[in-house]
Amino acid sequence: MIYIILSIFCSVTVAVLLKLAKRYEISIVQAVSVNYFAALILCFLFFKPDISSVSVSAPWPIYIALAILLPGIFLILAASIRNMGIVKTDIAQRLSLFIPILASYFVFQENFNSLKIIGLIIGFPAIFLTFLKKPTEAKKDGSWIYPVGVFLGFGVIDVLFKQIALFKALPYTTSLFTIFCLAFIVSLIIVVALALLKKIKIQPINLVCGLILGLFNFGNILFYMKAHKALVENPSTVFAAMNLGVIVFGSLVGVIIFKEKLNKLNYIGIILALIAVIIITLSQNAVR
């Protein structure tokens, strides 16, 4: 259980760091780029990927898609936390699991049991209610688009990573290392282009913050994988504890520490989100 707790802590810490970035005027695009550099180094040290086994037969279209999506969605994640807060963004990220579930039904022809259908039915109102603002606030901006981007983006990323997991010719960790390398290259190109256009200024503080961000981002992945290995016969336990833990812990941090304001409908959305995750977790072990 310690691995699940550490993974939850790392996940919420990433959100906290992105929340603090605005206060301390940290360049998110620079931090995200360095984050992937840190992640690929840590991936190399901990997973010892067999780089020589990567060949032209590898699923390069998926690798490239993820290399573009990962830094892009990371920037949207930062914008969502900045504009909508940790609570709503964490819930958007966690409920993005609905997209791979729907993909498994419509694309991969997986049969659904009644519990999974109920979970989805409860989950979609949860998304709507969590993002909902008062009418007077909603007219001021379109910041709701950011958590929607997080929801859709992480959902698509999850589907692509599941495709990577099905590619048995390469170890998953080797594919992960390759994706981190490509994501770093893509994000570095963006940083260099913005620097040349004088849109940003390269500063050491952004590099340091990026390393810290990368440490916790990788920690989330590492401990989540270790949790699955430690509880190999109970994957649904890891799934439930991770998603519920991030929603609850993230909500507490957002409301108590950062004083994020939620209305009654938002709280109802959070409760529905927790119920949806529990029901979907139960559906994993239900007899079809």
Side-chain angles (χ1 to χ4, degrees):
M1 202 66 182
I2 185 64
Y3 291 132
I4 297 175
I5 294 171
L6 288 172
S7 184
I8 292 169
F9 174 76
C10 288
S11 179
V12 175
T13 300
V14 168
V16 170
L17 292 172
L18 293 174
K19 180 82 172 182
L20 293 172
K22 182 180 179 181
R23 182 182 300 178
Y24 296 102
E25 299 182 346
I26 303 300
S27 170
I28 294 296
V29 68
Q30 292 180 56
V32 167
S33 180
V34 179
N35 149 79
Y36 284 114
F37 176 74
L40 73 89
I41 295 299
L42 290 169
C43 185
F44 181 80
L45 294 175
F46 280 91
F47 297 144
K48 304 291 192 297
D50 183 10
I51 305 171
S52 62
S53 63
V54 180
S55 65
V56 292
S57 63
W60 287 103
I62 300 178
Y63 287 171
I64 293 169
L66 283 168
I68 295 170
L69 278 171
L70 282 174
I73 297 302
F74 214 133
L75 294 176
I76 294 174
L77 177 72
S80 180
I81 290 172
R82 185 169 62 250
N83 289 278
M84 294 290 282
I86 293 174
V87 179
K88 296 181 179 183
T89 302
D90 272 347
I91 291 175
Q93 185 177 350
R94 292 300 140 186
L95 291 186
S96 66
L97 63 92
F98 292 155
I99 292 179
I101 288 175
L102 291 173
S104 67
Y105 180 79
F106 289 107
V107 179
F108 305 113
Q109 308 300 312
E110 178 185 326
N111 293 322
F112 274 23
N113 55 44
S114 57
L115 281 176
K116 189 167 288 187
I117 294 171
I118 292 170
L120 289 171
I121 291 172
I122 294 174
F124 284 109
I127 298 167
F128 175 75
L129 292 172
T130 303
F131 298 166
L132 196 65
K133 286 187 173 186
K134 294 178 181 179
T136 53
E137 295 175 336
K139 291 178 182 178
K140 292 180 181 179
D141 59 60
S143 55
W144 58 269
I145 196 69
Y146 296 116
V148 170
V150 169
F151 171 77
L152 295 174
F154 275 97
V156 172
I157 286 170
D158 197 7
V159 171
L160 293 176
F161 268 118
K162 280 181 169 55
Q163 290 296 97
I164 293 293
L166 294 174
F167 187 77
K168 302 299 183 182
L170 281 176
Y172 183 79
T173 50
T174 299
S175 290
L176 190 63
F177 177 80
T178 305
I179 292 164
F180 281 154
C181 285
L182 294 173
F184 171 63
I185 292 170
V186 169
S187 58
L188 184 62
I189 290 171
I190 295 172
V191 169
V192 171
L194 291 174
L196 291 174
L197 293 170
K198 297 184 178 179
K199 298 290 185 180
I200 60 171
K201 184 179 180 181
I202 306 296
Q203 295 177 311
I205 185 63
N206 298 319
L207 307 183
V208 173
C209 291
L211 290 174
I212 297 171
L213 186 65
L215 177 65
F216 284 102
N217 191 25
F218 179 78
N220 175 31
I221 297 170
L222 175 67
F223 293 125
Y224 186 66
M225 292 178 70
K226 283 184 174 292
H228 270 293
K229 187 173 291 186
L231 299 170
V232 67
E233 295 181 358
N234 297 286
S236 60
T237 300
V238 179
F239 173 86
M242 182 64 190
N243 285 288
L244 293 173
V246 170
I247 290 174
V248 172
F249 185 40
S251 296
L252 290 173
V253 169
V255 172
I256 296 173
I257 297 179
F258 292 102
K259 310 298 181 185
E260 294 178 3
K261 294 181 180 179
L262 303 175
N263 57 46
K264 290 180 181 179
L265 291 177
N266 295 153
Y267 281 113
I268 293 173
I270 293 172
I271 293 170
L272 289 177
L274 293 172
I275 293 171
V277 171
I278 291 171
I279 292 175
I280 288 174
T281 303
L282 292 174
S283 77
Q284 307 297 329
N285 293 328
V287 178
R288 295 184 186 278

